[in-house]
């Protein structure tokens, strides 16, 4: 299918307008997340609560550590990117191959530049004084490769591939938190970077048939999960107050497992909610890219 390239950049092209808004919106969210998650005691404490609780289940995902350590190297990333580009080339879409290569390379370079040179995580007495890990390189690699593969696949298998890949990647991202490799904000930062580059560089094809049940369901369910979790914390006045108490204790350096009066249960509920949002964000990001690449034909 050919890309839509005619007409003004925004006028008369709703999909393109949405893509531009989402590209810059993802960048803005990334910057706000960096400020709130790294440079405020409350942000650091919220991250630490999830990290403390999630790491309690690290033994269940210990095998993931070996898989990720052995599979995510500079060589394997380069090979995976080359294979993805080759798929596009085999389909005689050479411009798409270049786009995907730039997308994967750009997202991962951007993540490493921010993490290594542009962002410093100040120690505010929360957790341990460790080097900055925002954004997650693991999240950026996994998301950018998944997005790259989905983008180059034929549209008739793109939606089901997007669903399977997004679920697999989201499971790996939650495991990364459980292993203690990254805080939740690190993972979200990696998702946003990969999503931003995909929004900017994925082609915009001629609209597909009117219905795509798999893609629509994936987007709808993931948005419902995000909104439901957000609403639950927003309207749960008593529970929100108890979470604030837990946050205050963590800010003072108290480990979650040392707290009493049901604080551990509150932290567990909060952690489950955050992990559900991480899964939903990954699924939403991948499937939203597919929707805006493929579109829907009018009846």
């Amino acid at each position: 299918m050919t890309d839509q390239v005619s007409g003004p950049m925004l006028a008369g092209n709703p999909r393109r307008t949405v893509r531009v808004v989402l590209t810059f919106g993802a960048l803005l969210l990334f910057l706000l997340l960096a400020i709130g998650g790294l440079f405020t005691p409350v942000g650091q404490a919220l991250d630490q609560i999830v990290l403390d609780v999630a790491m309690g289940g690290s033994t269940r995902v210990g095998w993931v550590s070996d898989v990720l350590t052995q599979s995510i190297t500079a060589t394997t990333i380069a090979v995976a990117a080359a294979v993805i580009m080759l798929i596009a080339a085999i389909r005689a879409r050479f411009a798409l191959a270049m786009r995907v290569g730039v997308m994967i390379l750009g997202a991962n370079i951007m993540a490493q530049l921010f993490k290594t040179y542009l962002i410093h995580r100040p120690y505010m007495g929360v957790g341990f004084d460790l080097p900055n890990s925002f954004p997650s390189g693991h999240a950026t690699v996994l998301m950018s490769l998944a997005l790259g593969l989905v983008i180059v696949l034929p549209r008739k298998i793109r939606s089901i591939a997007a669903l399977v890949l997004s679920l697999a990647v989201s499971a790996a991202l939650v495991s990364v938190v459980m292993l203690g490799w990254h805080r939740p904000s690190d993972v979200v930062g990696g998702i946003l970077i990969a999503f931003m580059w995909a929004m900017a560089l994925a082609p915009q094809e001629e609209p597909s048939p009117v219905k795509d049940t798999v893609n629509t369901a994936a987007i709808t369910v993931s948005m419902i999960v995000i909104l439901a979790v957000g609403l639950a914390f927003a309207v749960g006045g008593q529970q929100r107050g108890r979470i604030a108490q837990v946050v205050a204790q963590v800010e003072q350096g108290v480990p979650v497992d040392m707290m009493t009066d049901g604080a551990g249960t509150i932290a567990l509920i909060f952690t489950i909610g955050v992990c559900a949002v991480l899964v939903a964000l990954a699924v939403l990001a991948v499937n939203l890219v597919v929707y805006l690449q493929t579109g829907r034909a009018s009846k």
Side-chain angles (χ1 to χ4, degrees):
M1 296 294 177
T2 58
D3 300 346
Q4 292 182 348
V5 295
S6 60
M9 180 175 180
L10 298 180
N13 196 330
R15 270 198 291 160
R16 184 169 295 161
T17 302
V18 171
R19 288 176 54 157
V20 171
V21 171
L22 289 177
T23 299
F24 288 99
L27 178 59
L28 177 60
L29 286 176
F30 174 83
L31 296 174
L32 291 175
L33 181 64
I35 294 170
L38 274 66
F39 298 100
T40 66
V42 172
Q44 289 196 5
L46 290 171
D47 260 348
Q48 192 63 41
I49 290 171
V50 177
L51 198 64
D52 284 350
V53 175
M55 287 180 65
S58 60
T59 55
R60 301 176 185 176
V61 294
W63 60 274
V64 178
S65 174
D66 296 332
V67 172
L68 293 178
T69 300
Q70 295 174 13
S71 61
I72 300 182
T73 65
T75 301
T76 57
I77 295 170
V79 170
V83 170
I84 291 171
M85 294 174 67
L86 181 61
I87 293 173
I90 291 173
R91 298 182 59 214
R93 299 189 63 178
F94 303 105
L96 177 59
M98 294 303 298
R99 282 192 185 206
V100 169
V102 171
M103 184 199 82
I104 295 172
L105 183 64
N108 286 281
I109 289 177
M110 181 177 177
Q112 293 305 317
L113 285 175
F114 269 103
K115 182 164 66 174
T116 307
Y117 300 106
L118 301 179
I119 295 180
H120 167 69
R121 182 185 178 91
Y123 181 61
M124 298 181 175
V126 179
F128 298 97
D129 186 8
L130 299 172
N132 175 55
S133 57
F134 178 93
S136 166
H138 292 90
T140 307
V141 166
L142 291 171
M143 282 296 297
S144 62
L145 291 177
L147 284 165
L149 179 56
V150 166
I151 288 168
V152 302
L153 288 175
R155 69 168 59 195
K156 60 183 173 181
I157 63 170
R158 191 178 294 155
S159 294
I160 189 64
L163 178 61
V164 172
L165 283 171
S166 61
L167 289 174
V169 167
S170 63
L173 297 183
V174 172
S175 298
V176 163
V177 176
M178 293 177 68
L179 290 167
W181 289 7
H182 284 288
R183 303 172 180 88
S185 65
D186 301 342
V187 172
V188 176
I191 292 173
L192 288 173
I193 286 180
F195 176 74
M196 179 186 69
W197 280 83
M199 275 289 102
L201 290 173
Q204 187 163 305
E205 300 172 346
E206 295 294 335
S208 69
V210 177
K211 293 183 179 180
D212 187 336
T213 305
V214 174
N215 183 248
T216 301
I219 293 173
T220 303
V221 172
S222 57
M223 291 182 67
I224 289 174
V225 170
I226 294 170
L227 292 174
V229 172
L231 186 62
F233 286 118
V235 302
Q238 181 179 359
Q239 301 304 323
R240 188 171 64 249
R242 297 184 69 184
I243 291 174
Q245 294 175 357
V246 175
V247 170
Q249 293 184 64
V250 173
E251 284 184 52
Q252 298 170 7
V254 180
V256 171
D257 59 3
M258 298 293 290
M259 297 179 186
T260 57
D261 298 329
T265 301
I266 296 300
L268 176 61
I269 294 172
F270 177 73
T271 299
I272 292 173
V274 171
C275 288
V277 169
L278 290 181
V279 172
L281 278 174
V283 173
L284 178 62
V286 175
N287 288 278
L288 193 55
V289 169
V290 169
Y291 171 72
L292 291 172
Q293 175 185 352
T294 308
R296 296 285 190 275
S298 59
K299 295 182 180 180

